[in-house]
Amino acid sequence: MIATLILRRLAIGLLTLIIVSIVIFWAIELLPGDIATEVLGQSATPETLAAFRERFGLNDPAMLRYVNWLRGMATGDFGLSLANQRPIASLIGQRAANTFFLAGYAAVIAVPLAVGLGLVSALYRGSLLDRFISSSSLAVISFPEFFVAYILILIFAAWLGWFPSLAAVTPGMGLSERLYATFLPALTMVLIVMAHMMRMTRAAIVNLLALPYIEMAELKGLRRWRIIAVHALPNAVAPIVTVVALNLAYLIVGVVLVEVVFVYPGLGQLLVDSVAKRDVTVVQAACLIFAATYILLNLIADVVGILSNPRLLHPR
């Protein structure tokens, strides 16, 4: 039963990814203008344009190019960049690693902090501390990422001079140097996603605290923290993990603006640069990687939700 549910989710995830790949490919196909002219410039000769189209298969029917592109992506062959004719895999590899590092850095800070604040807020529900945490989280998520990023740059880079305003990292940089250089973009992402996770954790715990078995535990004289840690938190794992996974997906997919503001050499910055150069093969690959990551994390959240639900684990 559980295996069937998980396999069904996997099949739905794969189907969703194929549909997204179709949307990505055809959305780029609908862009106006000739790709060869956009990449080579107006000064390119007709012979050069014809050779460029022939080399990259731009004269082939769109359906054939889509099938070839999808087959290449499935086997790890991302093709060549139209702008510099280098393998896309080599362009994306380090950029994707930088993006995943930044998202992981933010997640390591945001997840325990959000869950902890959510528990404290639920434990002291209605108090001044609860209202302060809730109102602060609402205020932070009301601002867009770029605004939060510029405020942090103004305070910590321009006024205090504690951190660099640009997150310049290199492949040979040490971990401590990298953590220092990327602190402000990581803090921006922490502030953006933490509020959502905190509020969902608080709501899940508050709902559980109203159930009869929790009241029975209180009547038995158990401490409040023990009731939450032993009785409430395990039953709130599914909604908390779901919202954490969704926010982790956002950390990776929604990193584009943050990378642009801090000039961080990640996949989002590469995507923006490739759009400006009309390098559609890199844009397609980057978009599909973002989509696959988002779908995978949602799939993990779904599977964890199934495994943590006793009614699904024990249907009878």
Side-chain angles (χ1 to χ4, degrees):
M1 180 66 179
I2 296 299
T4 304
L5 286 172
I6 294 175
L7 289 175
R8 188 179 300 166
R9 296 297 195 280
L10 289 173
I12 293 174
L14 183 60
L15 178 62
T16 304
L17 185 59
I18 293 175
I19 294 173
V20 170
S21 72
I22 295 173
V23 172
I24 291 171
F25 185 87
W26 287 102
I28 293 177
E29 281 293 307
L30 293 176
L31 291 175
D34 178 57
I35 293 176
T37 305
E38 295 288 341
V39 174
L40 298 179
Q42 297 294 333
S43 60
T45 63
E47 292 78 12
T48 305
L49 293 174
F52 185 87
R53 295 191 189 97
E54 182 66 26
R55 179 179 183 187
F56 290 99
L58 299 179
N59 294 323
D60 294 337
M63 182 58 71
L64 177 61
R65 283 187 284 118
Y66 168 73
V67 172
N68 291 334
W69 173 67
L70 194 60
R71 185 190 299 124
M73 296 293 287
T75 58
D77 180 12
F78 294 88
L80 297 175
S81 164
L82 296 183
N84 53 33
Q85 303 183 14
R86 289 175 54 194
I88 294 175
S90 66
L91 292 174
I92 284 182
Q94 185 59 44
R95 296 299 192 101
N98 288 342
T99 293
F100 289 131
F101 173 83
L102 182 58
Y105 186 10
V108 167
I109 300 174
V111 172
L113 192 59
V115 174
L117 287 175
L119 290 175
V120 170
S121 188
L123 185 61
Y124 297 100
R125 181 178 45 164
S127 67
L128 183 61
L129 179 62
D130 177 31
R131 287 196 292 270
F132 173 75
I133 294 174
S134 299
S135 58
S136 300
S137 63
L138 277 176
V140 171
I141 61 176
S142 301
F143 297 112
E145 294 96 327
F146 67 89
F147 182 79
V148 176
Y150 284 126
I151 291 296
L152 292 179
I153 289 174
L154 179 66
I155 296 174
F156 292 103
W159 290 352
L160 300 177
W162 290 353
F163 298 98
S165 58
L166 301 180
V169 297
T170 57
M173 183 178 283
L175 179 60
S176 58
E177 291 178 287
R178 185 178 288 261
L179 291 175
Y180 173 73
T182 57
F183 180 76
L184 287 185
L187 181 60
T188 303
M189 298 168 71
V190 167
L191 293 175
I192 296 300
V193 301
M194 189 183 70
H196 190 205
M197 289 189 287
M198 187 281 293
R199 291 180 64 80
M200 289 300 296
T201 301
R202 179 188 181 279
I205 297 297
V206 167
N207 289 335
L208 286 171
L209 290 178
L211 295 179
Y213 77 95
I214 296 292
E215 295 179 358
M216 180 60 69
E218 290 177 339
L219 291 176
K220 288 181 178 178
L222 295 180
R223 293 180 178 275
R224 192 74 168 171
W225 272 108
R226 180 177 173 81
I227 293 173
I228 290 180
V230 177
H231 298 283
L233 192 57
N235 293 316
V237 165
I240 292 175
V241 168
T242 300
V243 73
V244 166
L246 289 174
N247 281 277
L248 291 180
Y250 177 79
L251 281 177
I252 297 173
V253 178
V255 75
V256 178
L257 280 177
V258 177
E259 289 186 358
V260 171
V261 170
F262 289 96
V263 198
Y264 182 70
L267 197 55
Q269 180 71 57
L270 177 65
L271 176 63
V272 173
D273 293 341
S274 300
V275 170
K277 298 175 184 174
R278 199 66 181 275
D279 195 350
V280 295
T281 52
V282 177
V283 174
Q284 289 171 335
C287 288
L288 196 61
I289 290 174
F290 279 134
T293 304
Y294 193 85
I295 291 171
L296 177 63
L297 289 173
N298 277 277
L299 190 63
I300 291 173
D302 205 10
V303 171
V304 171
I306 292 173
L307 295 178
S308 60
N309 190 335
R311 286 176 297 182
L312 295 176
L313 284 175
H314 308 287
R316 294 182 180 177

